[in-house]
Amino acid sequence: MQTHLADFIKDTPAGREADAILRSCVHCGFCNATCPTFQLLGDELDGPRGRIYLIKEMLEGQPVTARTQLHLDRCLTCRACESTCPSGVNYHRLYEIGRAVMEQRVPRSLAARATRLLLREALPRRWMFKPAVRLGQLLRPLLPGVLADKVPRPAGARIGGGPQPAAHPRRMVALAGCVQPTLAPNTNAATARVLDRLGIELVEVAGAACCGALRYHLDAREQALDDMRRVIDAWWPELESGRVEGFVMTASGCGGHVREYAALLKHDPAYADKAARIAAMTRDASEVLAAEQPRLLELLRAARAGVGERVAFHSPCTLQHAQKIRGVVEALLTAAGYPLSPVADAHLCCGSAGTYSLTQPVLARQLRDHKLAALHAGSPDLLATANVGCQMHLQSGSTLPVRHWIELIDERLRAAS
Amino acid sequence: MSMPTTAERPFTVDRSLLIRRLREVLPAQALLFEEEDLRPYDCDGLTAFRQLPLLVALPEDEVQVQAILRICHELRAPVVARGAATGLSGGATPHPDGVLVALAKLKKIIRVDPVSRTAVVQPGVRNLAVSEAAAPYGLYYAPDPSSQIACTIGGNVAENSGGVHCLKYGLTVHNVLRVRGLSIEGEIVEFGNAALDAPGYDLLALINGSEGLLALITEVTVKLTPKPELAQVVVASFADVRRAGDAVASIIAAGIIPAGLEMMDRRAILAVEPYANAGYDMDAEALLLCESDGTPEEVAEEIGRMTTVLEKSGAAGIRVSQNEAERLRFWAGRKAAFPAVGRLTPDYLCMDGTIPRKHLADMLEAIATLSGKYALRCANVFHAGDGNLHPLIMYDANQPGELERATAFGAEILELSIHFGGTITGEHGVGIEKIDLMAEQFTLAEIGAFHRLKAAFDEHGLLNPGKGVPTLARCREYTLARVGGEQNPTNPMNAPRR
Ligand SMILES: Cc1cc2nc3c(=O)[nH]c(=O)nc-3n(C[C@H](O)[C@H](O)[C@H](O)COP(=O)(O)OP(=O)(O)OC[C@H]3O[C@@H](n4cnc5c(N)ncnc54)[C@H](O)[C@@H]3O)c2cc1C
Ligand code: SF4
Ligand code: SF4
């Protein structure tokens, strides 16, 4: 696509990156077909091709107003468009660059600013967040994807109550997460148990809790980068010690973001290398298990747990589109004896998308209800997913239990012992 | 932007009156008129042409479409229909004085009838969505443009689109039974009939390929086809394109009608593989994809015959899809070929000439020569089975002069198509892109007949003006310019851009 970026950005690193991305879009429109908001709204301005165009116009110096803001705000950053795009357009980077410019150009109303401030200041702080959770339904929909706060744990602590699993020569580090310990404490515990059976010790490191995604997506970039640096600082000694094989992510929202560290910190000389190494050693829990498949299958066979409940799996966008991990969890669940019920339009976002459910409640709810209809269609006994955000969002609309898939694997293995 | 010259813009539309009237019949969010909102609507899949519309309307049902048309007709404002805007000939390029009516919200599948094997759908339904809805009944909608994930049935009918399976199953026109539309006056017009034949003139063929010039399509009844028991595709690689071109002719000469017969050259293969991971032979100069479908026995027999012909034609390697997933992967690469070429170049022009199959190899060589002449790369993707060529001329719109060179390159390819006894468009339509070349293809008398037909539907020429059929004046200018050997001054592509 032809571009004429304006002087204010043309010769900056962001400008050059945006220009290259814009030029890789050939305007074929394939991406609109899989965009959740285009499907709901049917307006070019609410699809990726139109958003790319809106960003292009803004970077070319055209006046921007709340109109452009509305359509960019409606984007879930689910990245389904990237999965669909044959031309390899790096939409999310363009979107980030575009948002940064937009935040400078288009003022938000006082109420909108207050909401966003509340979200990014209150949620990452456990002392404010915990009572808020107790307050219940009001804040519930916005917990998804919010992965912040520091969970005070002793350095290199083992995870999960009960008897201490044996120390193993193999060791991996998990991200504590902030909302997950409160809302889904069993996820990391189950992961630790499963890895223990596979001969891998899983630990958490104090200080590494908030991956920075929350603030990043609420346009608090500098604060977000600090969050990221804190995680790196906390993990770096573990990495240097040479004792850890990798960093295991049990929330795909976190995983997707940590994997972006290399790109996000590449202009920070003090952190660029460290960020790149950590990003390269980051794995989703499903990848870790898939790599241990022979041993896992042996354990599962030995467990003889019979046929499990019928599961409908929702693959989070951060798993399938951002990390491009597709079919791996499904294969693990099948291997563990859980029949999978078919799910139509599995590429679509559930509407959780970080704080989207609070900032765009109407669309988020429609997306959730469509997703639940698709998940329920095959009459499953329970729903499973791979991100605490999606888990809570879906649970808010379903009477079926919504679990993290690793809990299901854990249960199978525990059936044996 | 340059598009219609003043001579072709006899419209004097009172914008604020039009907005006021349309607001009375449309919800607020269904009418866009601020420039910021209009920009992203300024082109379709042919990005070389960009034009801001006066307004964009986003109707939600037929009643709203009708109301829009009545108002536009009364105020003499042009109307351009838009489906998914995947069109490659600028059919949905807006008109500066007109309303762009985007039909994406009309996306209901009204019914699927497995007994009569038909589906009734609104115009904004995506091509692939029809097949998905029919799948539970073992049926599908046969025409499958490579853009099928996104393009709409309304756009398919308006362009009479084809696809990789059209060699055996026909174009859109062969798979549509009835089309309901609205005339520019807002009157309901029906084309065709749920039965296979109907009394009177066959107007159904007329609306297929009408490029939004005759009516706005609001409902389409399509024919559904039973899914074959089995389909397999052979992927043959060739060390040179001439052999691949000749192999296509040999397959058809052997009396085989493949379910699909497609060709990609080296550049296209290199662009596509990183996206599709299809496992294509990266050393090949050309690939042929040749599909067989039917009962397992028929398929086995036909694949055997295809393989023999391909081997005799000098195929360097042959692979047959071993399961459905692999077959789909082989096709996914081909279907993503155009946008995948976006990995190699910021911009491309996708040509659409059709030639007799026996000239494929000559044409490929001629294109290679032209590529040198214009110093522009070209990737070739063909519906080889029906001789429909899609050379993708790569250019960089940011480099002065490249678009003009690309355009001239494209025009030479299309002239060659006519020279080889073919046509300037196989399936993408004339739109705005090939409007001048109509004068190359048709006589003035023929063009005059097209105008009379158009006037019978749309007396004031409000539906998609400046597209599909050139004015007689424009034809004369074009012919004069050609005789004079210069570039045609009225061709919008030759004029300075914004
Ligand atoms: C990557 C790519 C691959 C492609 N592959 C193929 C292919 O294999 N075969 C093929 O034939 N084409 C192909 N095309 C071209 C294009 O997809 C088709 O022409 C398609 O039918 C256009 O549909 P659309 O919904 O996008 O229509 P648009 O582009 O929006 O419109 C096309 C024309 O139809 C008119 N129109 C649209 N809707 C209506 C309506 N409801 N009533 C009246 N007029 C209407 C418009 O005014 C315009 O003239 C491809 C395009 C791309 C980008
Ligand atoms: S699919 Fe890719 S190339 Fe096509 S319009 Fe979307 S972003 Fe652009
Ligand atoms: S990220 Fe998701 S919501 Fe945003 S444009 Fe892409 S597909 Fe649409």
Side-chain angles (χ1 to χ4, degrees), chain B residues 341-364:
Chain B
V341 165
R343 291 169 184 260
L344 306 181
T345 174
D347 304 276
Y348 60 73
L349 281 183
C350 172
M351 310 313 294
D352 177 38
T354 300
I355 58 167
R357 279 177 298 262
K358 60 176 190 259
H359 293 304
L360 273 179
D362 296 331
M363 186 61 154
L364 280 166

Side-chain angles (χ1 to χ4, degrees), chain A residues 253-286:
Chain A
C254 276
H257 194 70
V258 174
R259 284 185 150 158
E260 290 277 302
Y261 277 13
L264 298 173
L265 285 162
K266 73 175 174 215
H267 298 301
D268 178 342
Y271 281 86
D273 288 345
K274 291 180 180 177
R277 281 191 61 195
I278 283 179
M281 286 175 69
T282 299
R283 298 277 176 281
D284 185 73
S286 61

Side-chain angles (χ1 to χ4, degrees), chain B residues 125-199:
Chain B
V125 172
R126 294 177 300 116
N127 174 299
L128 191 61
V130 179
S131 287
E132 283 168 358
Y137 310 102
L139 301 169
Y140 75 113
Y141 176 59
D144 56 344
S146 303
S147 52
Q148 70 180 144
I149 184 174
C151 65
T152 68
I153 290 293
N156 288 176
V157 172
E159 298 287 13
N160 189 19
S161 297
V164 300
H165 288 96
C166 287
L167 183 58
K168 184 165 174 182
Y169 294 99
L171 297 163
T172 303
V173 64
H174 306 113
N175 290 277
V176 163
L177 293 172
R178 201 184 121 255
V179 174
R180 172 186 167 105
L182 291 168
S183 71
I184 183 67
E185 288 98 348
E187 308 277 318
I188 289 174
V189 273
E190 299 263 358
F191 303 86
N193 191 289
L196 280 178
D197 195 13

Side-chain angles (χ1 to χ4, degrees), chain A residues 119-394:
Chain A
L119 288 176
R120 65 184 187 232
E121 295 307 321
L123 288 179
R125 292 193 170 83
R126 201 175 161 87
W127 62 268
M128 289 171 87
F129 164 71
K130 251 194 141 171
V133 173
R134 291 210 194 88
L135 268 177
Q137 296 308 322
L138 175 68
L139 279 181
R140 189 161 185 164
L142 63 92
L143 303 177
V146 175
L147 301 160
D149 201 54
K150 293 132 197 77
V151 181
R153 282 173 197 278
R158 287 199 191 86
I159 305 157
Q164 285 282 321
H168 297 287
R170 297 182 64 187
R171 180 176 161 104
M172 293 190 184
V173 171
L175 186 74
C178 54
V179 300
Q180 193 161 287
T182 312
L183 298 172
N186 192 39
T187 299
N188 273 9
T191 311
R193 283 191 295 268
V194 172
L195 290 188
D196 177 52
R197 301 292 303 271
L198 292 167
I200 302 169
E201 184 188 14
L202 189 68
V203 298
E204 284 171 5
V205 181
C210 175
C211 70
L214 161 78
R215 285 179 167 134
Y216 197 80
H217 293 298
L218 285 170
D219 303 305
R221 267 170 215 84
E222 286 313 315
Q223 281 173 288
L225 289 173
D226 284 340
D227 291 338
M228 298 179 217
R229 291 186 190 104
R230 266 194 292 276
V231 171
I232 294 174
D233 287 340
W235 280 355
W236 191 249
E238 286 281 342
L239 190 154
E240 288 253 273
S241 75
R243 286 178 59 215
V244 298
E245 282 179 32
F247 302 96
V248 184
M249 314 303 281
T250 53
S252 60
C254 276
H257 194 70
V258 174
R259 284 185 150 158
E260 290 277 302
Y261 277 13
L264 298 173
L265 285 162
K266 73 175 174 215
H267 298 301
D268 178 342
Y271 281 86
D273 288 345
K274 291 180 180 177
R277 281 191 61 195
I278 283 179
M281 286 175 69
T282 299
R283 298 277 176 281
D284 185 73
S286 61
E287 294 172 292
V288 175
L289 258 59
E292 306 296 325
Q293 200 160 8
R295 173 90 184 110
L296 182 66
L297 289 180
E298 223 172 87
L299 289 169
L300 285 167
R301 255 194 308 276
R304 275 187 233 192
V307 178
E309 298 101 318
R310 197 171 155 82
V311 177
F313 179 66
H314 165 57
S315 179
C317 302
T318 41
L319 191 72
Q320 60 169 327
H321 301 307
Q323 302 191 67
K324 309 215 178 314
I325 298 171
R326 297 179 194 132
V328 178
V329 175
E330 292 88 331
L332 289 168
L333 288 173
T334 306
Y338 291 100
L340 292 181
S341 75
V343 180
D345 292 327
H347 62 277
L348 286 180
C349 180
C350 68
S352 161
T355 50
Y356 194 85
S357 39
L358 197 80
T359 53
Q360 300 288 337
V362 178
L363 292 178
R365 202 185 176 89
Q366 285 177 8
L367 289 169
R368 186 198 71 183
D369 294 347
H370 289 180
K371 178 55 73 184
L372 284 172
L375 287 167
H376 292 162
S379 312
D381 301 316
L382 56 88
L383 311 181
T385 186
N387 187 46
V388 59
C390 309
Q391 195 181 343
M392 296 303 134
H393 187 60
L394 292 174

